[in-house]
């Protein structure tokens, strides 16, 4: 699998391995998830990181677009929304070999490609060992360079800024949340900074992060927003379960994100908790609603659901690097 077909620079970050058309609009995409990963590592119960699924959804759609649906290389892909659920997390437990997964999906066009602008959606089922264990939907806008620059100008962004902006960290100087509180192993992977207001955090955007910024970009990527939503959910859900529930472990079961505007690097991004409540369904323990905001502009809205997956092992010494 070539890196260009999934919009990745590092070979290590390419999870899609192959794919085939099996119908007029139906495709099967094969992927392999690593036993361990610098950012998307297994949790304390040995379950695969749910954001591996999210990134595979993104790569799967980009691959199908280029390889099977005639979208030329060089088009800009802009995420519009993503919705996914892990229905059987035990199937995704990390064992002695990398996990082979399949995305069985359907492509739906939405837009006018004759104008140089086109949207599409893919609906996937996640299958492991012949067993369905999740589903996901992802929608993207695919535009040529001229249309992309117009979208950036309309959104108030720097449309003519080069993609090779010098790497830096957009940090406020506020304390970062310790990695063990947000489900991470390393300080460098923490994207939450404390804020003065309750139920509000700041998104730490480190453009020198090798995974979150695999290649240069002129705006905050969707996967960086997802990591912020996930870390904030982990923090809020586990903090809410103190006392007799302190030894329980919770995993992200479902995430639905609407992308509404481009996130700019030169503006602080606030993550605002709007709701934290008990889950609506038996398998959901908590539901959390969060918005990413720059000034008065809402960049994205996310709703996450968390499920209890077992007990927490004895506390380990948190990583300090």
């Amino acid at each position: 699998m070539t890196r260009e077909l999934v919009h990745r620079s590092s070979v290590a970050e390419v999870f899609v391995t192959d794919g085939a058309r099996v119908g007029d609009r139906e495709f099967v995409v094969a992927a392999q998830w690593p036993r361990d990963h610098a950012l998307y590592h297994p949790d304390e119960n040995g379950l695969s990181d749910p954001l591996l699924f999210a990134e595979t959804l993104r790569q799967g759609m980009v691959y199908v677009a280029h390889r099977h649906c005639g979208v030329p290389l060089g088009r800009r892909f802009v995420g519009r929304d993503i919705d996914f659920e892990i229905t059987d997390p035990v199937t995704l437990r990390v064992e002695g070999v990398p996990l082979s997964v399949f995305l069985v999906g359907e492509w739906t066009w939405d837009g006018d490609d004759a104008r140089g602008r086109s949207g599409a959606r893919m609906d996937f089922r996640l299958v492991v060992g012949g067993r369905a264990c999740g589903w996901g939907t992802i929608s993207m806008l695919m535009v040529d360079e001229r249309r992309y620059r117009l979208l950036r100008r309309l959104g108030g962004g720097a449309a003519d800024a080069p993609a090779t902006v010098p790497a830096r960290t957009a940090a406020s100087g506020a304390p970062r949340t310790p990695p063990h509180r947000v489900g991470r192993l390393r300080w460098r992977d923490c994207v939450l900074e404390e804020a003065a207001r309750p139920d509000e955090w700041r998104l730490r955007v480190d453009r020198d992060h090798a995974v979150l910024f695999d290649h240069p970009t002129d705006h905050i990527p969707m996967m960086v927003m997802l990591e912020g939503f996930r870390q904030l959910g982990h923090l809020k859900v586990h903090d809410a379960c103190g006392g007799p529930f302190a030894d329980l472990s919770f995993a992200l079961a479902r995430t639905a994100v609407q992308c509404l505007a481009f996130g700019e690097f030169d503006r602080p991004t606030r993550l605002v908790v709007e709701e934290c409540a008990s889950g609506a369904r038996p398998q959901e323990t908590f539901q959390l609603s969060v918005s990413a905001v720059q000034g008065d502009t809402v960049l994205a809205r996310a709703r996450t659901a968390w499920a209890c997956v077992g007990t927490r092992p004895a506390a380990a010494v948190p990583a300090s690097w």
Side-chain angles (χ1 to χ4, degrees):
M1 174 62 60
T2 60
R3 296 165 294 165
E4 293 81 6
L5 288 177
V6 295
H7 296 188
R8 277 303 196 183
S9 293
S10 171
V11 173
E13 300 306 321
V14 177
F15 302 137
V16 169
T17 59
D18 201 358
R21 182 190 291 271
V22 293
D24 184 42
R25 296 189 297 119
E26 293 76 36
F27 302 88
V28 174
V29 176
Q32 186 182 78
W33 292 353
R35 294 170 60 190
D36 202 358
H37 188 270
L39 179 63
Y40 304 130
H41 52 77
D43 69 9
E44 55 201 356
N45 290 288
L47 301 178
S48 295
D49 190 319
L51 291 199
L52 274 175
F53 185 24
E55 172 61 15
T56 307
L57 288 172
R58 187 198 67 79
Q59 290 189 18
M61 180 169 185
V62 173
Y63 166 78
V64 170
H66 288 315
R67 182 69 178 83
H68 297 287
C69 294
V71 178
L73 293 173
R75 283 286 174 93
R76 298 284 196 128
F77 283 60
V78 180
R80 297 192 294 186
D81 56 65
I82 184 170
D83 188 356
F84 63 93
E85 181 177 15
I86 304 293
T87 57
D88 187 3
V90 175
T91 305
L92 303 179
R93 186 175 300 280
V94 176
E95 302 291 352
V97 295
L99 188 65
S100 295
V101 306
F102 293 91
L103 301 183
V104 181
E106 181 177 84
W107 176 279
T108 303
W109 285 105
D110 176 24
D112 182 6
D113 192 48
R115 294 169 50 232
R117 172 177 176 168
S118 182
R121 185 186 78 247
M122 285 210 76
D123 301 293
F124 286 110
R125 285 184 295 115
L126 175 64
V127 179
V128 176
R131 182 174 175 179
C133 54
W135 59 267
T137 296
I138 184 168
S139 174
M140 293 186 185
L141 191 66
M142 298 163 288
V143 294
D144 57 26
E145 192 66 29
R146 184 180 68 85
R147 289 281 176 176
Y148 180 77
R149 290 178 179 273
L150 176 59
L151 287 174
R152 294 294 282 124
R153 282 195 292 269
L154 291 175
D160 298 321
T164 54
V165 180
R168 63 180 178 82
T169 302
S172 64
R176 269 183 288 169
T177 307
H180 67 280
R181 294 191 65 202
V182 295
R184 300 294 84 195
L185 298 177
R186 307 181 301 176
W187 278 97
R188 68 188 303 174
D189 297 329
C190 299
V191 300
L192 293 187
E193 292 181 349
E194 297 179 9
R197 299 178 182 177
D199 283 336
E200 186 171 302
W201 282 257
R202 174 169 165 158
L203 184 68
R204 185 177 188 271
V205 180
D206 181 2
R207 279 180 277 170
D208 203 28
H209 194 285
V211 178
L212 294 174
F213 289 88
D214 167 79
H215 55 272
T217 179
D218 64 358
H219 63 275
I220 301 174
M222 179 177 67
M223 291 303 297
V224 177
M225 296 283 189
L226 268 173
E227 183 62 29
F229 294 142
R230 182 263 291 279
Q231 289 190 20
L232 183 51
H234 189 282
L235 174 70
K236 292 292 292 183
V237 169
H238 283 88
D239 281 1
C241 294
F245 304 104
D247 63 340
L248 296 181
S249 181
F250 300 87
L252 182 63
R254 182 176 179 181
T255 301
V257 178
Q258 286 182 301
C259 300
L260 305 172
F262 289 100
E264 307 298 342
F265 289 127
D266 59 351
R267 303 170 194 170
T269 303
R270 295 176 291 120
L271 299 181
V272 182
V273 176
E274 298 174 342
E275 180 186 9
C276 185
S278 296
R281 296 185 293 176
Q283 66 267 35
E284 296 172 353
T285 309
F286 284 94
Q287 286 188 347
L288 189 74
S289 296
V290 182
S291 291
V293 183
Q294 287 187 339
D296 296 326
T297 302
V298 178
L299 306 180
R301 288 192 173 95
R303 188 168 184 84
T304 61
W306 296 74
C308 180
V309 292
T311 57
R312 310 187 78 171
V317 177
S320 59
W321 55 280

